[in-house]
Amino acid sequence: MPPRSIGFIGLGVMGKPMAKNLLAAGYDLTVHSRSPGPVDELVAGGARRAPSAAACAAGQDVVILMLPDSPDSELVMLGPSGVLEADPLPALVVDMSSIQPGVSRRIAARAEAGGLPFVDAPVSGGEPGAIAGELAIMAGGPADAFEVLGPLFEVLGKSAVLCGPAGAGGAVKLANQMIVAANIQAVGEALLFAARSGLDPRVVVKAIRGGLAGSAVLDAKAPKMIAGDWAPGFRLELHLKDLDNALAAAREASAPVPVTTVVRQFVKTLVENGHAAEDHAAIARYGEQIAGSTIAP
Amino acid sequence: MPPRSIGFIGLGVMGKPMAKNLLAAGYDLTVHSRSPGPVDELVAGGARRAPSAAACAAGQDVVILMLPDSPDSELVMLGPSGVLEADPLPALVVDMSSIQPGVSRRIAARAEAGGLPFVDAPVSGGEPGAIAGELAIMAGGPADAFEVLGPLFEVLGKSAVLCGPAGAGGAVKLANQMIVAANIQAVGEALLFAARSGLDPRVVVKAIRGGLAGSAVLDAKAPKMIAGDWAPGFRLELHLKDLDNALAAAREASAPVPVTTVVRQFVKTLVENGHAAEDHAAIARYGEQIAGSTIAP
């Protein structure tokens, strides 16, 4: 039987539009979140309010988590009044937060020991993708649980790929974020070089986007860099978190990732210098930290 | 009047298929190249053989150069029996080699002082693009000269963008190569991390290619990395040359390019360790130099 009742925990920038899409698709939704505003908004739309994670999860067909970072997932799953204390337990939990794969594996082991199947399924696509229901979903967990989640993933995303056991989704998300960050930095370096060489960076983008330098990053982020438009989108401080998780996971896997290490250092510097809440396109502002160099004229 | 007669100098991996396409399009072609094999091939197809660059250039509507590096362009243009000694001078020269923008500017100044308009127009797309006539052409020079070259560029490429004065094409090509190299390295790091984490890199590519990590590099190069297929394509030693030219030009423009600098160092190490003639997808083999780490199982 396909799932009908959903407990949704975490109504932030990503969680709120995702929960709204599930509500609009006719699911029976119960919500829980730290800030009351988004909860009120969902309740006004027909969702039920729950006073704790345990209460939100109790007896649901599926519980979805969309939380900021690893400690939040651990607390909501394993802490007091957490999902594992729900009575009765839900049938299935899917954590769509972007957290450390090792933490997902640990949570999965605890959940499954308690008889609760667990899937990690972080997403790519940012707030626009969440609103449009066009996220790319990278999942890890048991195949039958992934199967059950199919109809929900169709509401939330444009693709969902099962990548391995629990934690695999998170590892793939980190791989994704490594590529995105390095490519933003590379586009930033290329456009800064072009601008300092007296070229119009808009013409440069036009000349190269059809070739091997073409990418989703070039199309989505170069216009923001050129306009000096740093409104998020995806906040730089969240990308720093992802890169820190990536470096930790790469160390654990004994995988050398030198460019990721360099880019993370620039991102860290930018976050510490007042750019935390800007879009991650602001990775291209690395030059301002070094030499007062800007792409925009 | 559109150009009919072409002198083509440099029948290497790129030049030979480009010259063939112009011949097939009905242009009156005279060729000159160091190695006799490709010259014989073009002559068998109807081209004329010229004993020197000057002889190849004399009286042509357009002279096209496609040479390995900056010193070659300087020698062929400015050296003994070079294009500037052609009698009569050709009407227009376009250098489609990938060389230092500063050298193109110097050659352009000398050519124009001698009454010969000069355009630099390096390309992206590699041997497959040259064969298919689907190169991305990045040009620098006078607008009227660029206009004259339009019909030729339509035979050779799928896009041609005038980016500024002479040298601008080369600067944009270097910007292109910076992005391509860094993105190959980033994809390599992400797939190495994924493989060392126990994931199937093919599934990873499938899961991320529709999102912000998607790129022409991911589509074209990840399958080669995963298969351990290093057949060129575009040789790593040529990408090293481009990165060295990029670093020199970036220094000249006072543009800090830290990731390009790091990637260039790995490329240099790989070229010195026997990978010079491999496809530039082999940038992903950086891990083998550090830790014996491979993406392929």
Side-chain angles (χ1 to χ4, degrees):
Chain A
M1 220 162 49
R4 293 309 314 155
S5 67
I6 298 174
F8 201 109
I9 302 173
L11 301 174
V13 175
M14 297 294 290
K16 191 175 78 173
M18 291 165 69
K20 281 186 174 174
N21 285 339
L22 291 167
L23 202 56
Y27 285 97
D28 174 7
L29 206 66
T30 304
V31 297
H32 176 67
S33 196
R34 256 187 324 205
S35 20
V39 173
D40 292 344
E41 216 176 312
L42 267 292
V43 168
R48 254 185 308 276
R49 180 190 317 261
S52 69
C56 187
Q60 306 288 0
D61 292 339
V62 173
V63 172
I64 298 176
L65 272 51
M66 196 62 182
L67 300 163
D69 202 355
S70 307
D72 309 289
S73 286
E74 280 193 298
L75 186 69
V76 163
M77 283 298 296
L78 313 177
S81 304
V83 172
L84 282 188
E85 293 186 359
D87 184 19
L89 279 177
L92 174 58
V93 177
V94 53
D95 187 353
M96 304 188 75
S97 322
S98 287
I99 68 172
Q100 289 176 41
V103 172
S104 290
R105 285 194 294 269
R106 201 154 61 232
I107 293 174
R110 288 277 299 275
E112 279 156 18
L116 176 54
F118 179 90
V119 171
D120 80 313
V123 302
S124 174
E127 192 183 5
I131 291 170
E134 292 186 349
L135 297 165
I137 299 168
M138 301 152 244
D144 53 352
F146 177 76
E147 199 80 15
V148 168
L149 292 167
L152 276 64
F153 287 163
E154 264 183 39
V155 172
L156 300 172
K158 66 174 172 184
S159 71
V161 177
L162 182 62
C163 302
V172 174
K173 173 67 189 284
L174 295 180
N176 183 83
Q177 295 299 76
M178 291 165 64
I179 294 173
V180 171
N183 202 11
I184 294 176
Q185 169 93 25
V187 169
E189 293 191 8
L191 294 185
L192 180 59
F193 159 65
R196 299 283 285 223
S197 303
L199 300 172
D200 180 341
R202 287 166 301 191
V203 176
V204 175
V205 171
K206 189 178 157 209
I208 68 176
R209 66 179 292 280
L212 198 49
S215 67
V217 161
L218 187 69
D219 286 346
K221 302 301 177 183
K224 288 177 76 72
M225 297 175 194
I226 293 167
D229 163 21
W230 310 116
F234 183 71
R235 292 202 309 283
L236 193 57
E237 62 190 342
L238 291 176
H239 213 136
L240 176 59
K241 176 205 71 169
D242 288 341
L243 292 176
D244 281 334
N245 286 340
L247 292 181
R251 217 159 26 235
E252 224 175 284
S254 300
V257 290
V259 161
T260 305
T261 307
V262 170
V263 173
R264 183 263 171 199
Q265 198 53 54
F266 286 114
V267 173
K268 174 79 168 165
T269 304
L270 285 162
V271 164
E272 282 175 353
N273 283 286
H275 305 284
E278 295 179 353
D279 186 72
H280 57 160
I283 293 174
R285 303 185 79 170
Y286 77 93
E288 298 172 32
Q289 305 293 318
I290 302 176
S293 307
T294 59
I295 295 166
Chain B
M1 219 163 51
R4 294 309 314 156
S5 67
I6 298 175
F8 201 110
I9 302 174
L11 300 174
V13 175
M14 298 293 290
K16 191 175 79 173
M18 292 165 69
K20 281 186 175 174
N21 285 338
L22 291 167
L23 201 56
Y27 285 97
D28 174 7
L29 205 67
T30 305
V31 298
H32 176 67
S33 196
R34 255 188 324 207
S35 19
V39 174
D40 292 344
E41 217 176 313
L42 267 292
V43 168
R48 255 186 308 274
R49 179 191 316 261
S52 70
C56 186
Q60 307 288 0
D61 293 339
V62 172
V63 171
I64 299 176
L65 272 52
M66 197 61 182
L67 299 163
D69 202 356
S70 308
D72 309 290
S73 286
E74 280 193 298
L75 187 68
V76 163
M77 284 297 296
L78 314 177
S81 304
V83 172
L84 281 187
E85 293 186 358
D87 184 18
L89 278 175
L92 174 59
V93 176
V94 52
D95 187 354
M96 305 189 74
S97 321
S98 287
I99 68 172
Q100 289 177 40
V103 172
S104 291
R105 285 194 294 271
R106 202 154 61 231
I107 293 174
R110 288 277 297 276
E112 279 157 17
L116 177 55
F118 179 91
V119 171
D120 79 311
V123 302
S124 174
E127 191 182 6
I131 292 169
E134 292 186 349
L135 297 165
I137 300 168
M138 301 152 245
D144 53 352
F146 177 75
E147 198 79 16
V148 169
L149 293 166
L152 275 64
F153 287 163
E154 264 183 38
V155 172
L156 300 173
K158 66 173 173 185
S159 72
V161 178
L162 182 63
C163 302
V172 173
K173 173 67 188 284
L174 294 180
N176 184 83
Q177 295 299 76
M178 290 164 64
I179 293 173
V180 170
N183 202 11
I184 294 176
Q185 168 94 24
V187 169
E189 292 190 9
L191 294 185
L192 180 59
F193 159 65
R196 299 282 284 223
S197 302
L199 300 171
D200 180 342
R202 286 165 301 192
V203 175
V204 176
V205 172
K206 188 178 158 209
I208 67 175
R209 66 179 294 279
L212 199 48
S215 67
V217 160
L218 187 70
D219 286 345
K221 302 301 177 182
K224 288 179 76 72
M225 297 175 195
I226 293 167
D229 164 20
W230 311 116
F234 183 72
R235 291 203 310 283
L236 194 58
E237 61 190 341
L238 291 176
H239 213 136
L240 176 60
K241 176 205 71 167
D242 287 341
L243 292 176
D244 281 334
N245 286 340
L247 292 181
R251 217 158 28 234
E252 225 174 283
S254 300
V257 291
V259 161
T260 305
T261 306
V262 171
V263 174
R264 183 265 171 197
Q265 198 53 53
F266 286 114
V267 174
K268 174 79 169 165
T269 305
L270 286 162
V271 164
E272 282 175 352
N273 283 286
H275 304 285
E278 294 179 353
D279 187 72
H280 57 161
I283 293 174
R285 303 184 79 170
Y286 77 93
E288 298 172 31
Q289 305 293 318
I290 302 176
S293 306
T294 59
I295 295 166

